[in-house]
Amino acid sequence: TRKNCGTCHFFGGGGEGVKHGDLDSSMFKPNRALDVHMAVEGENFNCTRCHTTTQHSISGRCYKTPATQDKRTLLQSDIITRITCISCHSEKPHKPGVKANDHTDKVACQTCHIPEFARVNSTKMMWDWSKAGERKEGKPIKKMKDGRPVYDGMKGEFIWEKNVQPEYLWYNGIVKNVLLTDKIDPAQVTRLNYPVGDYNDPDARIYPFKIHKGKQPYDRVHKTMVVPKLFGPKGSGSYWSEYEWKTAITKGMDYAGLPFSGEFDFAQTEYMFQTTHMVAPKEKSLSCTECHTRNGRLANLAGFYMPGRDGNKALNVIGWGSVIAALIGVLGHGAGRVVSRKRREKKNEQRDDQ
């Protein structure tokens, strides 16, 4: 049931809408405007209608085309068929002759059919751990806005948003992650996870993502991310008992068996969640001009030519020059015809007078 799955997945990461922008309590009983598949007055799908399961081997943990032909070992003993929209709707989901059918080799269905996420309840878009630690009489301070915590002395500062436009990335079904042993550049934003794929990858499609921004501690000497110990009773060295970052990081890295220099700071990070729920009704799907325009939704997705967005200056000059020359020619020809007609009329008048 939705309640069985949603009790965990709608509240993952410490609260409702913290992780996913397309999964929250509004999906327990959504209407058609929120999700056409799970709408209680429509198809009324439960989670297992798509996420089929055998002995808790649940399909849908990754997404790839074609889903019906590809299996991959995700865990050592866990081979799961992956699902996508085409599992039900085919690679030509629209009526014959509809231009959208020509996009399915490069564009995922979700890109057009999920124009925004978090359309009912807000989702957390930023989490700044460097601001944590404020307390009053020994207890962490909490600040609320519109029913959401915007500051928590235990966790830091947050930003929540509704009706969020996704960001778009190439994705072939593989996601890579930054490990605690990987070097980072603290002067740059560290993508803690990132999808693999580009325009030339035949398995890649343009997918919508929620990008969750953060600010997290890292080791200034080793240039690696660190894991602090958060939980624990007084005297355990945990952050939530002592509110000392150095002690908490020392304890956490020791438990992980990794080195810590003793020097830390906070780095900007991003974490990406592929968006596939909250499928809007077809009349709310994206129009062509939302992408095929210079400042459209795909303005920052480089590496390929897209009509309406991209252009070649030399070709533009030649093209517009040809248009102007043709226009001058047409106007000149028309003017010549007018002058010629008036001359003929004048000659005819003179002949009649004679």
Side-chain angles (χ1 to χ4, degrees), residues 4-26:
N4 183 67
C5 300
T7 297
C8 289
H9 289 280
F10 297 169
F11 299 90
E16 180 181 9
V18 170
K19 290 173 64 176
H20 302 280
D22 59 342
L23 290 173
D24 57 40
S25 66
S26 66

Side-chain angles (χ1 to χ4, degrees), residues 75-313:
L75 301 175
Q76 289 296 323
S77 60
D78 190 9
I79 299 178
I80 299 173
T81 303
R82 293 181 286 177
I83 59 171
T84 69
C85 301
I86 69 168
S87 299
C88 295
H89 295 284
S90 82
E91 292 186 78
K92 302 294 181 183
H94 298 272
K95 293 180 180 179
V98 175
K99 186 62 179 176
N101 282 333
D102 298 334
H103 287 61
T104 57
D105 61 332
K106 293 297 182 183
V107 183
C109 300
Q110 295 94 319
T111 297
C112 294
H113 289 275
I114 306 177
E116 292 90 22
F117 55 82
R119 298 203 295 275
V120 175
N121 300 322
S122 59
T123 185
K124 186 180 286 186
M125 297 298 295
M126 190 281 292
W127 184 336
D128 185 350
W129 279 95
S130 71
K131 301 287 183 65
E134 284 191 37
R135 290 171 290 168
K136 185 176 181 180
E137 297 178 355
K139 294 182 179 181
I141 293 173
K142 289 189 178 182
K143 300 175 185 178
M144 306 291 290
K145 183 180 179 181
D146 299 327
R148 291 293 205 180
V150 294
Y151 181 80
D152 186 333
M154 295 176 68
K155 301 178 180 180
E157 189 175 80
F158 316 127
I159 293 177
W160 301 80
E161 295 181 20
K162 284 180 65 176
N163 295 309
V164 184
Q165 179 177 302
E167 298 194 43
Y168 301 95
L169 301 166
W170 290 102
Y171 178 40
N172 66 8
I174 298 172
V175 174
K176 292 190 176 181
N177 301 274
V178 170
L179 305 178
L180 289 171
T181 52
D182 292 338
K183 299 291 185 182
I184 69 162
D185 180 0
Q188 306 293 325
V189 175
T190 298
R191 288 186 163 186
L192 297 177
N193 73 329
Y194 50 94
V196 177
D198 56 40
Y199 176 80
N200 296 312
D201 185 340
D203 291 329
R205 304 288 184 274
I206 298 171
Y207 271 87
F209 286 81
K210 169 189 171 178
I211 298 185
H212 186 291
K213 300 183 184 298
K215 201 167 184 183
Q216 301 172 235
Y218 76 97
D219 189 313
R220 293 181 60 187
V221 175
H222 297 307
K223 298 293 190 296
T224 58
M225 301 302 297
V226 296
V227 52
K229 177 182 174 65
L230 296 177
F231 296 88
K234 196 75 174 176
S236 66
S238 70
Y239 183 72
W240 290 338
S241 66
E242 311 292 339
Y243 288 93
E244 292 287 344
W245 278 116
K246 184 175 180 179
T247 302
I249 295 170
T250 300
K251 291 287 185 179
M253 294 297 278
D254 182 62
Y255 181 86
L258 294 170
F260 173 49
S261 68
E263 297 183 31
F264 72 94
D265 204 341
F266 291 85
Q268 292 184 325
T269 60
E270 291 182 345
Y271 196 94
M272 303 178 189
F273 296 95
Q274 195 266 308
T275 300
T276 204
H277 303 90
M278 296 188 179
V279 177
K282 61 182 180 181
E283 59 269 20
K284 296 292 185 180
S285 61
L286 299 186
S287 64
C288 302
T289 54
E290 298 225 35
C291 295
H292 291 277
T293 186
R294 190 174 299 276
N295 296 313
R297 290 181 178 238
L298 303 185
N300 296 323
L301 204 59
F304 65 101
Y305 173 82
M306 188 171 72
R309 183 194 69 172
D310 303 319
N312 182 286
K313 184 175 288 187

